[in-house]
Amino acid sequence: MKPNKSNRLMPLLMAVCVVVGILVGTFYANHFSGNRLNIINSGSNRINNLLHIIDDQYVDKVNIDSLVDMAIPQILADLDPHSVYFSAKDMKQNNDELKGSFSGVGIEFVIREDTIHIQGVIKNGPADQVGIRAGDKIVSVDGKPFVGKVVTNAEAMRRLKGPKDTKVKIGVIRYGEKKVRTFTITRADIPQKSINAAYMIDENTGYIKIKNFGENTYPELLISLAKLSQEGFSNLIIDLRDNTGGYLQSAVQMANEFLPKNKLIVYTEGRKSPRQDYMSDGRGSYQHIPLVVLINEGSASASEIFAGAMQDNDRATIIGRRSFGKGLVQKQLEFPDGSMIRLTVARYYTPSGRCIQKPYTAGDNQDYEEDLLARYQHGEFFSQDSIKHTGPAYHTSIGRTVYGGGGITPDIFVPEDTLGMTSYYKEAAMRGLIIQFAFVYTDNNRPKLSGFDNMRDLSDYLERQNTVDKFATYADKHGLKRRNLLIKKSHNLLKTFINSRIIYNIMDEEDWIEYLNLDDNVIKTAIDVFENNAAFPKKPEKQKN
């Protein structure tokens, strides 16, 4: 009997089915159950796919947006200290300072003991127009209490800022009163000025203080220079101390005003960013005025671009202390949800070729963040010999030696003034007692203080009022024990701080800055440079008959 043909083929068919089954199983295993992991382990989509897996399979419900907001900053922090991420809600606040204006109520405040203390009121702003004063304490917003742990800078900004012409009702307690005063304020555009002082220091010397490089810095500079021109200035001090920077274009425009044609201001270069040179066009109106630029460890980024351009082109004398050392160029990249990253794409270089950026270790920002403290402890704030240059020497247009390795080293070093610094003064300042006393003194003497038309007359009056002794009595009642020997040693420091805050409360920011400059060693050094004809460009010697 012949065996059935189909029976003979059965083992072969079964073998084929097994093989096909294995292949199909492998295919489905790879392309469905295991595909996500394969994608996660290769290519640039790993993070995106990981988030999909978490959203799809994690045991509990996860807020993916929140997870992203936490993850992206960590990724960027591993690159360099200045690549950063801003969530959508933080974007507007971070841009406001450099914009020409924002809508709000027009106050400056500090938070102390879980309460907002109004530190300054912008002249003719919405708060000023309804009668808000420096020293008032905000205790409610729109009828709801606003004191305690809920009071943070971010929350205060959220409640007080708002669209133009909208109203906000705030309750304040004024010194010496128990009853809450209620004010309804109509929000308005609050100008954000980059230049907070422009005045004549003496009959020849103009002074301009620039706090940042914003959208309106250059036009503000031109207005300030025109004002000083009317007053006959022949020398100029530009104060960039504690100016943390801002827009590159504003620094370039400003440098162009002081440089002759075809001078390199700054250049940028990166792995994917070809070198870009920023040159002067020769249209500046102040190319020949003797110039001094003031910097310190708080001067960064655009401040260093301007100072470096002036120094390397031998256009100005740089006075003060070594600048911060922030020379990384960030590009803003926005996401569809309104969030944004600022990604470092290049470095800044001064005309001589110095990289402004100080050294850092990618992924470890602690040493970088503590650099200024390390400089202080090393003695750099007090001795020029303590400055550590990590880069090679470079040369200016006329061959002067300048150094790279981070920041701009001044031509003339002026140490930090610590004369009279005591533990009593430090505690009085850190606890906010001096500012509190200034508020109290101002309110108690407002009719008299408001009668002075200028800072000099008010300063002379305060000199005769023994404000230091009055402060010591006030501080003793508020927990800072009177220490007569320490108070005597710190008398000048205390007097300057106390009187400056009273002047700030009564007058404006320019008067406050002018008062502080009266006894400033850096300003005195700048004046000496002009008097000795040592500023760039040097004035021609007068001919003797």
Side-chain angles (χ1 to χ4, degrees):
M1 183 175 176
K2 292 183 180 181
N4 189 297
K5 189 175 181 180
S6 63
N7 289 337
R8 283 189 288 115
L9 294 176
M10 187 60 68
L12 179 60
L13 289 172
M14 290 183 64
V16 170
C17 288
V18 169
V19 171
V20 170
I22 292 171
L23 292 174
V24 171
T26 302
F27 175 84
Y28 276 91
N30 286 337
H31 287 77
F32 292 92
S33 64
N35 184 52
R36 289 175 176 168
L37 292 177
N38 287 337
I39 294 175
I40 289 171
N41 288 324
S42 63
S44 60
N45 291 324
R46 286 180 286 178
I47 294 176
N48 189 39
N49 285 279
L50 174 60
L51 293 172
H52 279 300
I53 290 172
I54 292 171
D55 191 35
D56 184 50
Q57 299 184 26
Y58 188 67
V59 62
D60 296 318
K61 185 172 178 58
V62 175
N63 185 327
I64 295 297
D65 287 341
S66 178
L67 202 61
V68 169
D69 285 346
M70 290 187 292
I72 293 180
Q74 184 57 51
I75 294 171
L76 294 174
D78 284 339
L79 299 176
D80 67 79
H82 298 293
S83 288
V84 292
Y85 169 75
F86 295 101
S87 65
K89 67 180 181 180
D90 292 333
M91 269 298 299
K92 188 174 185 303
Q93 182 177 336
N94 280 283
N95 285 333
D96 272 348
E97 187 176 355
L98 299 178
K99 295 291 183 183
S101 66
F102 66 90
S103 292
V105 298
I107 63 170
E108 297 170 351
F109 64 86
V110 293
I111 297 173
R112 191 168 292 114
E113 296 176 346
D114 296 330
T115 303
I116 289 180
H117 294 246
I118 297 176
Q119 188 166 304
V121 180
I122 295 175
K123 250 182 192 173
N124 300 319
D128 185 38
Q129 291 174 1
V130 300
I132 301 292
R133 293 179 182 173
D136 288 347
K137 294 186 289 187
I138 295 178
V139 294
S140 68
V141 178
D142 286 331
K144 298 179 181 178
F146 191 49
V147 292
K149 292 183 179 180
V150 68
V151 179
T152 63
N153 275 312
E155 185 62 20
M157 292 288 193
R158 189 185 72 79
R159 297 193 188 198
L160 295 175
K161 282 185 178 181
K164 183 180 178 180
D165 295 328
T166 59
K167 297 183 185 298
V168 59
K169 185 185 294 184
I170 67 170
V172 306
I173 292 180
R174 185 156 291 169
Y175 174 76
E177 299 178 358
K178 294 182 180 180
K179 186 178 179 181
V180 176
R181 293 183 178 221
T182 302
F183 297 88
T184 299
I185 305 174
T186 301
R187 296 182 180 98
D189 288 339
I190 307 300
Q192 286 288 87
K193 296 183 73 174
S194 293
I195 294 179
N196 40 15
Y199 68 94
M200 295 292 290
I201 282 185
D202 58 33
E203 62 181 10
N204 298 314
T205 307
Y207 169 91
I208 298 175
K209 171 74 172 176
I210 305 176
K211 69 177 181 180
N212 60 30
F213 287 85
E215 286 184 349
N216 294 331
T217 301
Y218 180 59
E220 285 181 40
L221 175 74
L222 295 181
I223 292 170
S224 297
L225 289 169
K227 171 190 170 185
L228 295 176
S229 291
Q230 291 179 342
E231 298 182 46
F233 81 118
S234 56
N235 304 314
L236 180 63
I237 297 172
I238 292 182
D239 192 345
L240 300 180
R241 289 176 294 178
D242 298 314
N243 181 321
T244 56
Y247 294 136
L248 165 66
Q249 191 59 32
S250 294
V252 170
Q253 288 175 321
M254 191 167 125
N256 186 69
E257 197 63 27
F258 299 98
L259 290 172
K261 190 174 182 179
N262 292 330
K263 292 293 184 180
L264 181 61
I265 296 171
V266 67
Y267 69 91
T268 64
E269 193 169 21
R271 182 176 67 91
K272 293 285 187 177
S273 300
R275 173 167 169 161
Q276 182 174 358
D277 291 350
Y278 295 83
M279 308 293 295
S280 60
D281 62 16
R283 297 179 183 177
S285 301
Y286 300 89
Q287 298 178 30
H288 305 294
I289 190 165
L291 180 62
V292 162
V293 177
L294 311 184
I295 61 171
N296 66 2
E297 58 283 345
S299 308
S301 190
S303 296
E304 297 172 293
I305 290 171
F306 180 82
M310 296 300 106
Q311 187 176 53
D312 285 5
N313 284 299
D314 296 295
R315 178 60 189 85
T317 303
I318 313 301
I319 299 177
R321 297 189 292 276
R322 182 162 67 109
S323 63
F324 182 85
K326 196 275 186 184
L328 297 177
V329 184
Q330 280 75 50
K331 181 179 181 180
Q332 293 195 169
L333 301 167
E334 293 189 23
F335 295 115
D337 69 345
S339 61
M340 181 198 76
I341 63 170
R342 287 180 184 160
L343 183 68
T344 297
V345 296
R347 290 182 172 84
Y348 291 119
Y349 296 86
T350 68
S352 67
R354 291 180 289 168
C355 180
I356 294 171
Q357 180 62 40
K358 62 187 176 184
Y360 64 88
T361 302
D364 182 9
N365 292 340
Q366 184 172 352
D367 287 346
Y368 186 85
E369 292 170 354
E370 295 177 356
D371 174 64
L372 294 186
L373 177 60
R375 289 196 210 177
Y376 181 88
Q377 293 173 339
H378 181 68
E380 183 178 317
F381 290 9
F382 314 107
S383 170
Q384 186 171 8
D385 294 336
S386 297
I387 298 176
K388 292 182 178 180
H389 295 114
T390 58
Y394 296 82
H395 296 92
T396 69
S397 59
I398 62 173
R400 295 187 302 126
T401 300
V402 289
Y403 291 96
I408 303 298
T409 300
D411 301 310
I412 300 175
F413 176 84
V414 179
E416 183 174 289
D417 187 2
T418 58
L419 187 65
M421 186 69 68
T422 64
S423 58
Y424 180 89
Y425 175 83
K426 289 178 182 177
E427 188 172 354
M430 293 297 291
R431 287 176 55 179
L433 289 171
I434 294 176
I435 291 177
Q436 289 177 31
F437 170 76
F439 286 149
V440 172
Y441 186 90
T442 301
D443 278 340
N444 286 344
N445 299 275
R446 192 173 291 275
K448 176 68 176 176
L449 299 174
S450 298
F452 292 96
D453 294 329
N454 63 75
M455 182 276 295
R456 297 290 179 129
D457 290 343
L458 177 54
S459 171
D460 290 342
Y461 171 77
L462 292 173
E463 286 281 340
R464 302 190 297 270
Q465 301 311 303
N466 200 5
T467 53
V468 173
D469 185 67
K470 292 172 181 175
F471 166 75
T473 301
Y474 171 89
D476 189 57
K477 293 178 180 178
H478 289 79
L480 179 60
K481 185 178 178 181
R482 191 179 188 114
R483 305 283 298 279
N484 288 330
L485 288 177
L486 295 181
I487 292 169
K488 184 177 180 180
K489 187 175 181 180
S490 293
H491 189 275
N492 284 339
L493 272 180
L494 287 165
K495 181 189 70 176
T496 299
F497 194 171
I498 294 165
N499 291 358
S500 73
R501 295 312 305 183
I502 296 169
I503 290 169
Y504 184 87
N505 292 340
I506 290 294
M507 296 188 165
D508 59 22
E509 192 172 17
E510 181 172 280
D511 291 305
W512 173 64
I513 291 170
E514 184 177 355
Y515 174 78
L516 292 174
N517 283 344
L518 292 175
D519 198 33
D520 187 323
N521 288 333
V522 182
I523 297 291
K524 292 175 182 176
T525 303
I527 298 298
D528 288 342
V529 165
F530 290 129
E531 289 179 350
N532 293 321
N533 195 25
F536 293 107
K538 291 180 170 58
K539 292 180 180 178
E541 297 289 342
K542 292 182 179 179
Q543 297 292 327
K544 294 182 179 179
N545 293 325

